[in-house]
Amino acid sequence: MYTAKTFAPSVASFPPIDLNAAAPEDFKKISGIGEVLSKRIVAYRKRLGGFVLEEQLDEVYGLKPEVLERLKQRCSLISPANIQKIPLQNASLEELAQLPYLSYYEARRIVAFRTKNGSLSTTELGRIQGFDSLKIKRLTLYLY
């Protein structure tokens, strides 16, 4: 006896969607993602310079947990992100302030800390107030 589940298309039957190359129309193929969310995903990807980690999808505003789960099941990081890492040691305030995950104020605090203490590595960012392990993990995607 066949059940309805037998005939339901599985996630594996669809070709994966490339997170870094997909157009808004591609994301709209996923249940729960319409015009607004699909454009928001692409805009966030552009702001990041591309997704490096699938976890970054969690940061897209407005994605409900069940939609996020479907998105992660259907999407893959096939094309690499277009990120040019910058050196933490001599990056200017303006360069740092352009990075995702950093505000201008936080970039100023990095420069001030670096000026006061000499050298600064990405692992030492935790010595600056407000820089938790998640923020540092994200920043290491853009800094060396």
Side-chain angles (χ1 to χ4, degrees), residues 1-77:
M1 182 162 147
Y2 294 102
T3 64
K5 193 173 186 177
T6 306
F7 295 105
S10 70
V11 171
S13 66
F14 296 104
I17 296 171
D18 185 351
L19 275 174
N20 286 326
E25 295 74 32
D26 298 318
F27 292 118
K28 290 191 320 191
K29 295 175 185 174
I30 298 169
S31 177
I33 298 179
E35 188 74 26
V36 172
L37 284 176
S38 63
K39 287 181 179 179
R40 194 176 292 157
I41 293 166
V42 171
Y44 194 68
R45 176 182 70 200
K46 183 177 178 182
R47 179 173 174 255
L48 294 175
F51 291 105
V52 179
L53 306 169
E54 286 183 12
E55 298 168 6
Q56 289 174 301
L57 285 170
D58 300 346
E59 301 161 10
V60 178
Y61 176 76
L63 287 175
K64 293 179 181 176
E66 61 275 9
V67 175
L68 185 59
E69 188 58 36
R70 284 193 293 271
L71 184 62
K72 287 180 179 180
Q73 288 175 353
R74 289 283 314 275
C75 297
S76 296
L77 290 170

